[in-house]
Amino acid sequence: MSAGLIAGGELRRIALDLVTPFRTSFGEETARNVLLVAVDMEYGDATVRGWGECVAMTAPLYSPEFVDAAALVIEEHLLGRLAGQGLCADDVAGHLAPVKGHAMAKAAVEMAILDAELRHDGTPFASRIGATRTRVPSGVSVGIFDDVDTLAAQVDAYMTDGYARIKLKIEPGWDLEPVGMIRRLIGDDVPLQVDANTAYRREDIEHLCRLDEFGLLLIEQPLPEEDLLGHVRLAERSTTPVCLDESIHSAAGAVDAIELGACSVVNIKPGRVGGYLEARRVHDACRQRGVAVWCGGMLETGIGRAPNVALAALDGFTLPGDVSGADRFWRRDIVTDPVRMTDGTVPVPTTPGLGFDLDIEFLDQVTTARRTLSGPRPARRADG
Ligand code: OSB
Ligand code: MG
């Protein structure tokens, strides 16, 4: 693993329309406004550009992070802490630790440095983390619709595509009926799970237990992010395994949630835990404790989708992830080799780096803003 110096880079905003609107309990997205980070790393004579994708959304509705804030934090509070010193991807999280929160911003920076380092070393990300599988099962996350017939048509199309598992977004008023209807439609053998994105309260535990009859793989984050005890109460009552997404911010936090009995499954999203290296540690901690994990998604472009697939190839990822083919979300991706799902699986990238090559021409077409980052600047360590 080489140490390099940050010699420059850029922050880019791109706008990409979704092939179909994606509605969750927290809102509807029709397009993504994605922040990309490029970092030029100097390794002796060689300068290598690495890219990272920030998974923060436009508004702080999934988590407190949002795109504009992430851009500001990266430029004003993170990059200065990394400037002017020999840097491996492994060092990044430690240097950024004094900054509280902002996991998605930190993850994007670490990604760019990791991508550069892997490209320089000629190593694919899967090899770096010791993932050996060459394909992984591909699940699809299905949004909320105005009526169950539209939902049924959408799920039917994804079944025809061959997805290995269906995840339905739920919220109060959109749960027992659509879930029961989809279970009847796809039959008992197709893995089915639900995700509430914190839309319920402890008073709803009784109601949520009525989902037990549908033989779900799991229920994801029914209660608020902070309500670990509520999830313990639900897990005590329900036969459906409880999985946490929004509540999990680190490997240590995952261990606490597991030991408290708040979950028996963990959704691992690299952006939410501050990067792919911490995501690996979440996986390791869960695996040691016999807790199943799966790889979540944040409507990533090809930059984030490729390493998600590699992460999902680690042995502890025993459940199908939200690692869909790129065409689930995009008419055209910003990479030359978009993730393609066939027969319910996606291939683990083998190219050096995080596993993608950019389609620069298309990337330029969808770019809405660009900011060049100069070389090393003094760290900004205090207020003002
Ligand atoms: O809760 O898993 C979630 C998308 C955006 C924000 C949160 C979530 C999701 C998804 C989509 O469910 C998963 C995907 O990218 O395939
Ligand atoms: Mg979720």
Side-chain angles (χ1 to χ4, degrees), residues 148-179:
V148 288
D149 293 339
T150 315
L151 172 71
Q154 187 58 262
V155 169
D156 195 55
Y158 292 138
M159 292 299 296
T160 304
D161 290 344
Y163 280 104
R165 169 282 258 159
I166 302 287
K167 160 169 143 182
L168 300 181
K169 292 290 189 178
I170 58 168
E171 66 183 1
W174 183 264
D175 44 33
L176 301 175
E177 192 198 346
V179 174

Side-chain angles (χ1 to χ4, degrees), residues 30 51 61 74 185 199 227 234 240 256 281 283 286 316 338 356 366 375:
T30 54
W51 287 87
L61 300 176
I74 289 170
L185 176 78
D227 193 10
L234 172 64
T240 305
D256 287 356
R281 290 187 282 272
H283 158 274
C286 291
F356 55 84
V366 295

Side-chain angles (χ1 to χ4, degrees), residues 73-345:
V73 165
I74 289 170
E75 196 169 351
E76 297 295 324
H77 299 283
L78 301 184
L79 290 175
R81 291 177 181 273
L82 304 176
Q85 59 193 316
L87 208 58
C88 295
D90 276 318
D91 307 330
V92 172
H95 289 306
L96 302 184
V99 174
K100 305 289 197 288
H102 300 286
M104 295 173 181
K106 291 173 178 175
V109 171
E110 187 195 77
M111 262 180 102
I113 293 167
L114 183 57
D115 184 44
E117 183 174 304
L118 292 167
R119 286 175 193 268
H120 178 250
D121 293 345
T123 309
F125 178 50
S127 315
R128 158 77 178 253
I129 57 174
T132 53
R133 282 185 277 174
T134 58
R135 299 191 70 90
V136 299
S138 175
V140 61
S141 177
V142 188
I144 293 168
F145 291 90
D146 289 337
D147 57 87
V148 288
D149 293 339
T150 315
L151 172 71
Q154 187 58 262
V155 169
D156 195 55
Y158 292 138
M159 292 299 296
T160 304
D161 290 344
Y163 280 104
R165 169 282 258 159
I166 302 287
K167 160 169 143 182
L168 300 181
K169 292 290 189 178
I170 58 168
E171 66 183 1
W174 183 264
D175 44 33
L176 301 175
E177 192 198 346
V179 174
M181 194 268 275
I182 294 302
R183 175 49 93 201
R184 283 188 295 278
L185 176 78
I186 65 182
D188 288 342
D189 295 339
V190 176
L192 178 66
Q193 64 191 56
V194 295
D195 184 3
N197 290 109
T198 76
Y200 295 87
R201 296 297 173 263
R202 288 190 195 183
E203 306 83 85
D204 302 317
I205 286 177
E206 208 63 47
H207 176 75
L208 290 171
C209 287
R210 295 179 61 193
L211 289 165
D212 287 348
E213 67 173 288
F214 303 121
L216 303 176
L217 273 182
L218 57 90
I219 178 169
E220 180 181 349
Q221 197 72 43
L223 306 177
E225 180 177 324
E226 310 75 26
D227 193 10
L228 284 188
L229 191 57
H231 286 99
V232 175
R233 300 274 181 266
L234 172 64
E236 285 166 354
R237 301 286 301 277
S238 165
T239 58
T240 305
V242 174
C243 170
L244 292 176
D245 172 354
E246 283 89 332
S247 297
I248 304 298
H249 300 284
S250 64
V255 169
D256 287 356
I258 291 162
E259 298 203 343
L260 282 167
C263 65
S264 54
V265 181
V266 173
N267 167 332
I268 300 184
K269 285 182 184 169
R272 198 191 60 233
V273 302
Y276 282 86
L277 302 178
E278 182 69 9
R280 209 242 129 95
R281 290 187 282 272
V282 178
H283 158 274
D284 296 348
C286 291
R287 186 151 194 250
Q288 258 178 21
R289 289 163 180 79
V291 168
V293 304
W294 54 282
C295 184
M298 292 288 289
L299 318 179
E300 283 91 347
T301 73
I303 296 183
R305 196 164 294 273
N308 280 356
V309 177
L311 183 71
L314 286 168
D315 287 341
F317 284 79
T318 53
L319 292 167
D322 284 342
V323 283
S324 316
D327 64 355
R328 152 73 182 89
F329 294 109
W330 317 119
R331 233 172 294 284
R332 182 171 171 186
D333 202 341
I334 56 170
V335 295
T336 56
D337 45 0
V339 172
R340 261 196 71 214
M341 188 276 290
T342 48
D343 295 327
T345 64

